[in-house]
Amino acid sequence: MEIVAYGVLADEEPLLRDAFDSAFAGRHELRCLRLFLDRDTAPTAVGHEVVLSSVNDTLDAEALRSLAEGGTRMIAQRSTGYNNIDLPAARELGLTVARVSSYSPYSVAEFAWTLALAVDRRIVRAARRTRDFDFRLDGLMGRDLRGRTAGVVGTGKIGAAFARIAHGFGMRLLGWDVAENPDCVALGMEYVPRERLFAEADLISLHVPLLPGTHHLVDAEALALMKDDAVLVNSSRGGLVDTDALLQTLRAGRLSGVGLDVYEEEAGVFFLDKSLEVMTDERLARLMTFGNVLVTSHQAYFTRDAVGQIARTTVTNIEDHIAGRSGENVLVRPGPA
């Protein structure tokens, strides 16, 4: 059969095809589309039993209904997050939904540190200056991280990898999560209430999933608790941060730096070329005006290692579906009639 993949990036496609060819050896064909999957584009999947979705697709009830009516029986999400999929609607429609429950945690943890160091040491501003042969150091002063406090919000695999790097810098570690990670405790991490973490940390990095209970976890109250010269990094999900509250905080001259690889309204913007268009998202445009804010386009996961793992796990999920197996990555599976 032919399997169609949506939202496939140019650098992703060879890795996805390699994993596909290795597993299926010509038994199934893969069709890769740059097109994002939503209620308007779902009719293009007619006749495809298996559809591969991306994190920026919008699979609401209407889109899922269109897929089901067109013959789709399985949606394989090529990411860990799945907040873009209406799971109750998928269950009601009899669709199987699977995801990639884990991949290289180092890709995201290392990129979070890239953002943290870039804003702390004013790397982007310095690079822009030197390209214009302006070699002054005014406004470029950073600070040592050794001896300062790193607050890790979410200490799963990615948060733990971030914490190990912080430990290597010689930082004091504070953590917040629903359960303590023994690996982080072994590094000397102290688990504390969220309010204390925000108040004491010099660097805060977010590594929790986006759930109803974590939506706008970093709100006006949390931002008010942070030190005026703290650094905030979000490489998890945009909805964790209340953008309006963050803008108010930045306008007040607070926070030394902010590194964002995700944004709560990124759908329809990130992964696309908007350079010839007027940016109608005023909040995103305002964020870009602050010299101490660095925004990247959801690329923390984007390493050859991580994308290769994602591709191979996605293929395994397809194999499980075809064989009638329910693996650990299945989010929704039709029950008995």
Side-chain angles (χ1 to χ4, degrees):
M1 64 179 172
E2 181 180 72
I3 296 171
V4 61
Y6 288 86
V8 179
L9 304 174
D11 292 333
E12 176 192 14
E13 183 171 348
L15 298 174
L16 191 56
R17 289 194 178 280
D18 284 347
F20 202 90
D21 293 341
S22 296
F24 296 122
R27 289 183 290 122
H28 304 295
E29 297 180 5
L30 177 65
R31 183 182 178 198
C32 293
L33 301 178
R34 301 288 185 263
L35 191 70
F36 288 115
L37 183 57
D38 56 27
R39 60 177 64 181
D40 295 323
T41 61
T44 63
V46 168
H48 293 88
E49 178 182 341
V50 177
V51 166
L52 310 189
S53 59
S54 71
V55 71
N56 264 15
D57 294 330
T58 303
L59 298 179
D60 56 18
E62 186 175 338
L64 292 171
R65 188 175 301 109
S66 178
L67 289 173
E69 291 174 352
T72 297
R73 294 294 173 263
M74 192 253 188
I75 297 168
Q77 174 99 332
R78 304 189 315 279
S79 71
T80 299
Y82 52 88
N83 53 287
N84 60 317
I85 306 175
D86 187 335
L87 295 183
R91 183 176 293 107
E92 182 178 337
L93 291 164
L95 295 169
T96 295
V97 181
R99 64 162 177 162
V100 178
S101 58
S102 65
Y103 54 86
S104 169
Y106 310 107
S107 60
V108 179
E110 290 172 4
F111 193 83
W113 269 106
T114 301
L115 290 175
L117 292 171
V119 296
D120 178 60
R121 300 306 300 269
R122 319 296 189 224
I123 297 299
V124 174
R125 179 180 296 175
R128 287 173 179 164
R129 282 189 186 179
T130 55
R131 285 179 66 87
D132 292 331
F133 303 104
D134 178 354
F135 300 104
R136 293 172 300 155
L137 296 183
D138 297 342
L140 301 182
M141 182 174 285
R143 59 180 177 174
D144 291 359
L145 293 175
R146 180 176 177 82
R148 288 191 161 85
T149 300
V152 186
V153 180
T155 57
K157 292 181 180 179
I158 296 174
F162 183 91
R164 282 192 291 272
I165 298 172
H167 182 263
F169 273 104
M171 299 186 75
R172 172 188 174 223
L173 297 174
L174 295 181
W176 179 84
D177 209 329
V178 293
E180 296 185 3
N181 184 333
D183 292 337
C184 291
V185 173
L187 294 173
M189 176 177 285
E190 180 184 0
Y191 280 83
V192 297
R194 180 176 68 99
E195 293 77 11
R196 181 180 163 192
L197 184 149
F198 276 91
E200 294 186 15
D202 299 290
L203 164 63
I204 295 174
S205 190
L206 308 180
H207 301 288
V208 293
L210 180 59
L211 303 168
T214 60
H215 181 255
H216 284 182
L217 183 71
V218 182
D219 55 11
E221 181 181 352
L223 289 162
L225 291 171
M226 292 176 63
K227 297 179 180 180
D228 288 347
D229 60 353
V231 170
L232 174 66
V233 173
N234 185 12
S235 58
S236 184
R237 287 292 181 268
L240 299 176
V241 177
D242 182 338
T243 306
D244 289 330
L246 178 60
L247 285 167
Q248 291 178 7
T249 301
L250 291 166
R251 280 197 295 266
R254 299 185 59 244
L255 301 186
S256 175
V258 177
L260 302 174
D261 185 52
V262 288
Y263 169 61
E264 59 180 327
E265 300 295 336
E266 68 182 55
V269 178
F270 282 16
F271 301 154
L272 300 173
D273 182 2
K274 296 288 184 178
S275 61
L276 299 179
E277 301 177 22
V278 174
M279 177 48 65
T280 57
D281 187 326
E282 294 184 2
R283 294 189 298 172
L284 181 58
R286 286 179 184 175
L287 280 173
M288 298 292 195
T289 66
F290 292 95
N292 61 336
V293 175
L294 175 56
V295 178
T296 52
S297 186
H298 207 139
Q299 71 180 83
Y301 79 99
F302 205 54
T303 67
R304 178 172 294 275
D305 309 82
V307 174
Q309 281 184 276
I310 290 170
R312 291 189 294 273
T313 301
T314 299
V315 165
T316 298
N317 291 341
I318 296 170
E319 290 178 314
D320 286 344
H321 168 73
I322 294 172
R325 297 187 296 262
S326 182
E328 63 178 359
N329 294 320
V330 173
L331 297 168
V332 172
R333 182 176 177 82

